[in-house]
Amino acid sequence: MLRHELQPGKLVAGTVFALAGVLYAGDAGGAWETPWFVAFPLVMGGLCLAGAVAIVGGRIRRRRASGRTTDEPGPDMAA
């Protein structure tokens, strides 16, 4: 099975959207009361955080890739 690269920005965005979904599911189920305006700062803050994490992750990935000079697989990439 091929390994995929970790994309932490998508992980953060998915976590924030799941949290927003849980908040409103709990409100719909009657477990607690969630005001309607909570979604906007939660989602916008989560998207900004996910964008920042994606930029930092991309720069780290590019920096590590630029240090490699051969196309040979490393010890963690079994053929």
Side-chain angles (χ1 to χ4, degrees):
M1 181 170 159
L2 294 176
R3 294 182 58 173
H4 65 280
E5 62 185 52
L6 176 66
Q7 295 181 348
K10 288 184 180 183
L11 178 67
V12 170
T15 303
V16 169
F17 284 130
L19 176 64
V22 166
L23 283 175
Y24 280 104
D27 185 30
W32 55 76
E33 191 72 27
T34 304
W36 64 270
F37 55 84
V38 169
F40 295 114
L42 180 67
V43 170
M44 291 305 294
L47 286 176
C48 289
L49 180 63
V53 168
I55 288 171
V56 170
R59 287 187 181 185
I60 290 172
R61 194 176 305 120
R62 257 187 283 145
R63 175 174 267 184
R64 285 186 181 178
S66 68
R68 296 182 183 153
T69 57
T70 63
D71 290 337
E72 296 178 17
D76 60 339
M77 304 278 288

